[in-house]
Amino acid sequence: MSEVKVYSRPKSWMPDVSSHYCPGCGHGIAHRLVCEVIDELGIQNDAIGLAPVGCAAMIYDYIDTDFCEAPHGRAPAVATGIKAVRPDKIVYTYQGDGDLASIGMGEIVHAANRGMNLTVIFINNAIYGMTGGQMAPTTLIGQRASTCPLGRDVKVNGYPIRVSEMLAALPAPGYIARVTVAQPKYITKAKQAVRQAFQNQVDGKGFSLVEILSSCPTNWGMRPVEAFDWLVNTMIPYYPLGTFKDFD
Amino acid sequence: MGRVLMKGTEAIAEAAIQAGCKYFYGYPITPQNEIPEYMSAHLPEVGGVYVQAESEVASINMVMGGGSTGYRVMTSSSSPGISLMSEGISYIAGCEIPAVIVNVMRAGPGLGGILPAQADYLQSTKGAGNGDYNLIVLAPSTLQECVDLTQLAFDLAQKYRNPVMVAADGFMGQMMEAVEIKPSPTRNQPADESWALGFMGERGGKRSHLHSLYLSPEPLEEHNRKLQRKYAEIKKNEQRCETYMIDDARLVVAAYGTTARISRSAVNNLRAEGLKVGMIRPITIWPYPFETFKRLPSTVEHILVSEMNAGQMIDDVKIATSCKYPISFYGRMGGFAPSVREIEDECRRILGQ
Ligand SMILES: Cc1ncc(C[n+]2csc(CCOP(=O)(O)OP(=O)(O)O)c2C)c(N)n1
Ligand code: SF4
Ligand SMILES: [Mg+2]
């Protein structure tokens, strides 16, 4: 009987390394998608990643491309600095929702508004994961977090920010899509979007961002399966999946 | 290019271009606006790029990115903008990325005013950002020195993979003087492919990874030890200082930047009266020129520190002289500089004349 290989790690995944993410965390799946796309486009030697501050701060331990860390929220500015010097390289940021939509809101809006030829992978898990589950700008109405123990109250905390819709209102950014890694059927679509976001940069088209709705079972206080169900049933209705903007 | 009359900020900008700096990230703040304006007009002529950042927080992070490619990059700002850059400067130092930052200092604290000052001495030399790091800080006293030190800054940044600041007080930025700006011999120095981002293919598939994050204490302490060894090396090699008429001096004025120019005139006038006064002028305010202070002649009885701040350099002078001499201070704040006359009077008072 001949052996059929049903699973192997992407080439750009660091050899012999397993991730530190909690069971049921979406970061690992998102990393894998980035690796697969890097492999398929053959851009490993040309890709330069910017690591965020958040649970994915150690992303460079898993993805084998050039990397620089960025201060909390500033990855789009660091990426802009690199791309100005090396427009021939594929520069990508990978950022959480606290990183991108709170402390780094200024940097992402202006990078998008310049239409800089960059790829942004934005992991929205509706919480500050790394610091232990505090309320994020994306935390849902009524969702409990360690700094809103009674649930997010819009009168006090305002509404969760729909980053993709907000950035899609700008004329410059070319591609903005929201996907999720909650279930295999969504993951296939998520991969297509990530691939599109990198392909756009290879083609010199301009700013591309993929928002990936992701899970944080640990800080949501759920088991992994419950967390993915909650993502599908509660997060997607507020954060609809889809492509908000595409190059004509 | 022979000697031309130029404004300080524009001389700094042209010097940077002649040093091979092709990438500039800026944000408006007085009194340094001519630097980003000059860069936006002239960088495209040399195939470079000017990026207008959305804030100084962004501009310093753009510098971090640009510097990580190994090419010559720069930003400039003035005091409140440098405060915002502190986090980024700490990261740049921690990640060992070469970068040049110009601070055309204005009066503080807070929004303060747009007039000249040297009130960021402590901020720049002691580090406003977090952690154990140092940046090399150069304090020009003439516009020619603004040119020369800006060009030197790029060499030092690349040599040590460290941020370098040109701390020019507002007078340096806004006055005009004749300068000669020559192309720097190192202007075409290629990026160092051994560590810079963007050369993974050239390295045969070996990636580069710039970071200051070490979650375990052992590697983080080792990283700090490595930085400290580098800083010790810089302290050994890069102290720069000028002495003026100190050989038989009883009183030495310690001053840098614009106050050193003024002090030089005061020393000349006092010498004409037969008073034994000299000057010591730190050119690097980090590393501080301890060695020159150690070699002050035995005739010295007293040191007068003069600055455009409340006396921020006094502690360094005390340390550099092991508190051997009495130290007086004469400074002005708020945008004023001490006048030649004021420094002369202070010297006469100290010498009992
Ligand atoms: C300037 C600064 N402020 C705060 C922090 C602390 N901090 C570390 S991670 C983090 C939250 C990250 O949350 P998010 O971006 O949503 O990423 P996640 O962990 O959820 O993937 C914060 C606030 C920091 N490192 N730096
Ligand atoms: S805390 Fe949340 S985001 Fe962080 S690794 Fe665990 S599950 Fe993932
Ligand atoms: Mg998060």
Side-chain angles (χ1 to χ4, degrees):
Chain A
M1 208 177 84
S2 65
E3 278 183 32
V4 180
K5 200 172 197 179
V6 291
Y7 175 86
S8 67
R9 284 183 163 171
K11 185 171 150 288
S12 53
W13 187 278
M14 275 291 177
D16 307 320
V17 175
S18 299
S19 90
H20 70 283
Y21 298 114
C22 308
C25 175
H27 274 304
I29 307 171
H31 284 19
R32 186 185 162 102
L33 297 184
V34 171
C35 284
E36 287 180 359
V37 166
I38 286 173
D39 287 357
E40 288 167 19
L41 299 182
I43 55 173
Q44 188 178 2
N45 279 351
D46 288 316
I48 301 176
L50 281 319
V53 173
C55 278
M58 313 289 279
I59 184 171
Y60 42 65
D61 280 354
Y62 311 124
I63 301 185
D64 187 16
T65 63
D66 269 1
F67 256 104
C68 186
E69 74 181 14
H72 196 15
R74 316 301 174 207
V78 182
T80 300
I82 295 175
K83 196 74 182 180
V85 184
R86 297 300 304 265
D88 55 325
K89 295 289 154 183
I90 305 303
V91 185
Y92 66 103
T93 76
Y94 183 104
Q95 304 175 255
D97 46 339
D99 193 80
L100 181 142
S102 190
I103 194 166
M105 187 59 109
E107 283 73 20
I108 192 63
V109 167
H110 288 278
N113 193 48
R114 275 185 287 266
M116 200 93 187
N117 191 21
L118 298 170
T119 302
V120 175
I121 306 298
F122 166 42
I123 305 296
N124 178 0
N125 58 11
I127 202 97
Y128 283 90
M130 184 170 216
T131 39
Q134 295 82 6
M135 183 185 63
T138 42
T139 294
L140 293 179
I141 301 162
Q143 183 188 339
R144 286 169 200 246
S146 67
T147 50
C148 56
L150 301 179
R152 184 184 188 126
D153 177 354
V154 294
K155 286 203 209 76
V156 182
N157 310 119
Y159 289 82
I161 298 176
R162 294 185 179 101
V163 170
S164 289
E165 287 85 336
M166 195 185 82
L167 294 179
L170 298 170
Y175 179 70
I176 295 177
R178 185 184 288 120
V179 296
T180 181
V181 290
Q183 292 170 359
K185 66 172 179 189
Y186 295 116
I187 295 175
T188 316
K189 286 211 165 139
K191 164 119 179 246
Q192 281 165 5
V194 171
R195 193 183 157 108
Q196 191 61 51
F198 276 92
Q199 184 68 52
N200 289 340
Q201 191 178 164
V202 171
D203 296 342
K205 282 186 165 169
F207 186 90
S208 300
L209 177 145
V210 181
E211 174 174 348
I212 301 180
L213 301 182
S214 184
S215 52
C216 179
T218 304
N219 288 304
W220 292 353
M222 298 176 197
R223 292 166 196 280
V225 175
E226 272 180 279
F228 284 124
D229 288 345
W230 186 83
L231 199 168
V232 171
N233 297 327
T234 317
M235 267 183 94
I236 294 180
Y238 188 85
Y239 295 114
L241 306 182
T243 303
F244 298 91
K245 215 162 175 218
D246 203 350
F247 296 95
D248 322 301
Chain B
M1 183 170 160
R3 277 163 72 80
V4 287
L5 189 64
M6 268 181 116
K7 193 172 182 175
T9 38
E10 289 177 349
I12 288 171
E14 181 58 29
I17 294 175
Q18 294 301 329
C21 170
K22 284 199 190 160
Y23 309 96
F24 185 95
Y25 314 91
Y27 187 83
I29 183 169
T30 309
Q32 61 83 56
N33 291 318
E34 302 85 356
I35 301 179
E37 284 165 1
Y38 192 96
M39 289 305 204
S40 69
H42 295 284
L43 279 180
E45 294 167 2
V46 294
V49 180
Y50 165 81
V51 183
Q52 171 114 7
E54 57 272 24
S55 67
E56 291 88 349
V57 173
S59 57
I60 193 69
N61 282 288
M62 291 177 185
V63 162
M64 175 165 168
S68 75
T69 68
Y71 291 92
R72 295 188 162 190
V73 304
M74 173 181 169
T75 187
S76 65
S77 188
S78 179
S79 313
I82 301 291
S83 296
L84 273 185
M85 291 185 187
S86 302
E87 178 199 42
I89 294 173
S90 167
Y91 272 75
I92 290 171
C95 292
E96 297 195 84
I97 292 171
V100 173
I101 302 143
V102 174
N103 181 7
V104 184
M105 291 182 275
R106 59 188 248 182
L111 199 49
I114 61 169
L115 291 169
Q118 296 175 324
D120 307 340
Y121 179 92
L122 288 174
Q123 183 197 47
S124 53
T125 59
K126 308 304 172 199
N130 57 300
D132 283 302
Y133 77 90
N134 283 107
L135 62 159
I136 299 170
V137 189
L138 310 170
S141 174
T142 64
L143 294 207
Q144 188 59 50
E145 212 173 37
C146 283
V147 167
D148 298 341
L149 293 183
T150 298
Q151 298 198 330
L152 174 68
F154 287 99
D155 293 343
L156 294 177
Q158 279 182 321
K159 178 171 179 195
Y160 294 103
R161 284 180 59 183
N162 207 67
V164 180
M165 178 177 282
V166 178
D169 55 68
F171 284 114
M172 288 294 116
Q174 292 304 310
M175 63 190 267
M176 291 184 85
E177 215 164 40
V179 292
E180 182 171 14
I181 306 177
K182 291 193 216 135
S184 159
T186 54
R187 69 190 179 284
N188 294 323
Q189 186 164 303
D192 184 346
E193 295 179 9
S194 70
W195 65 266
L197 300 185
F199 297 101
M200 191 163 163
E202 285 80 349
R203 282 188 295 265
K206 199 171 165 294
R207 64 95 171 258
S208 171
H209 162 210
L210 306 177
H211 62 114
S212 65
L213 173 68
Y214 297 83
L215 283 177
S216 313
E218 292 85 0
L220 183 52
E221 187 175 51
E222 188 39 46
H223 175 59
N224 269 281
R225 288 223 166 95
K226 180 174 166 243
L227 290 177
Q228 290 304 318
R229 284 194 293 274
K230 175 168 82 175
Y231 301 146
E233 192 70 9
I234 296 173
K235 283 183 194 165
K236 198 171 83 197
N237 299 339
E238 306 301 343
Q239 293 180 26
R240 284 169 171 77
C241 190
E242 183 201 357
T243 53
Y244 184 66
M245 297 208 176
I246 59 163
D247 285 349
D248 59 347
R250 289 176 58 205
L251 171 62
V252 170
V253 184
Y256 54 94
T258 291
T259 31
R261 289 174 79 106
I262 298 165
S263 301
R264 191 188 306 272
S265 302
V267 167
N268 288 340
N269 295 345
L270 294 165
R271 282 277 172 179
E273 292 171 21
L275 295 178
K276 296 196 166 157
V277 182
M279 177 176 75
I280 183 164
R281 178 175 76 88
I283 297 168
T284 49
I285 51 178
W286 197 94
Y288 201 69
F290 289 110
E291 294 308 319
T292 314
F293 275 89
K294 273 190 204 151
R295 292 194 307 268
L296 282 176
S298 56
T299 51
V300 176
E301 295 162 14
H302 199 116
I303 293 185
L304 169 67
V305 177
S306 183
E307 297 176 90
M308 288 150 61
N309 61 39
Q312 297 190 15
M313 187 174 70
I314 294 173
D315 286 349
D316 278 341
V317 174
K318 281 188 182 164
I319 296 165
T321 57
S322 308
C323 294
K324 217 157 61 182
Y325 315 102
I327 293 173
S328 306
F329 175 72
Y330 188 80
R332 296 293 303 268
M333 292 171 285
F336 286 113
S339 67
V340 177
R341 185 61 196 269
E342 284 168 339
I343 293 177
E344 283 175 25
D345 287 348
E346 195 60 24
C347 290
R348 283 195 202 92
R349 194 187 60 74
I350 291 166
L351 292 169
Q353 302 288 316

